[in-house]
């Protein structure tokens, strides 16, 4: 397993909405956004994060090979050494699967 090729990433987690919550209970959620690429033949990769407890990840494929890879996507969203493991279907092309992502969780 290797790291994904990070194309861009937000510098620090940002609050998901507003500066404070006065009508909702629960933890404040933060998000990280960016884009990455998984290479041909890769079915498992790790993504760096500063979030402590990710709750959800939203992936948007940026090319056809990203759509192929996304078909087999899953992750337990467990942070280990500042990274989470992502699992995919092999994108099947040298161009690799390219994605935009938003990772939501607590900081």
């Amino acid at each position: 397993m290797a790291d994904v090729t990070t194309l861009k990433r937000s510098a620090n987690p940002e609050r998901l909405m507003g500066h404070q919550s006065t009508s909702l209970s629960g933890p404040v959620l933060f998000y990280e956004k960016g884009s990455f690429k998984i290479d041909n033949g890769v079915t498992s990769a790790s993504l760096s994060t500063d979030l402590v407890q990710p709750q959800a990840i939203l992936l948007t494929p940026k090319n056809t090979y990203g759509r192929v890879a996304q078909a087999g996507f899953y992750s337990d969203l467990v942070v280990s050494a500042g990274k989470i493991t992502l699992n995919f279907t092999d994108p099947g092309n040298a161009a690799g699967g390219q994605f935009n992502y938003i990772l939501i969780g607590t900081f």
Side-chain angles (χ1 to χ4, degrees), residues 32-45:
E32 291 179 341
K33 63 183 179 177
S35 61
F36 64 86
K37 174 184 169 188
I38 59 168
D39 295 326
N40 186 35
V42 172
T43 58
S44 183

Side-chain angles (χ1 to χ4, degrees), residues 9-89:
R9 182 172 170 249
S10 60
N12 296 305
E14 301 174 37
R15 284 183 72 107
L16 190 57
M17 294 188 322
H19 294 289
Q20 66 180 5
S21 175
T22 56
S23 62
L24 300 173
S25 61
V28 175
L29 294 176
F30 294 86
Y31 72 94
E32 291 179 341
K33 63 183 179 177
S35 61
F36 64 86
K37 174 184 169 188
I38 59 168
D39 295 326
N40 186 35
V42 172
T43 58
S44 183
S46 59
L47 176 68
S48 294
T49 181
D50 290 330
L51 296 175
V52 176
Q53 292 182 312
Q55 302 296 314
I57 186 168
L58 305 172
L59 292 178
T60 303
K62 293 173 60 176
N63 63 6
T64 301
Y65 311 111
R67 287 195 349 234
V68 170
Q70 189 178 25
F73 172 74
Y74 67 93
S75 175
D76 59 9
L77 296 178
V78 172
V79 177
S80 177
K83 299 177 183 181
I84 60 171
T85 299
L86 308 174
N87 300 284
F88 296 92
T89 299

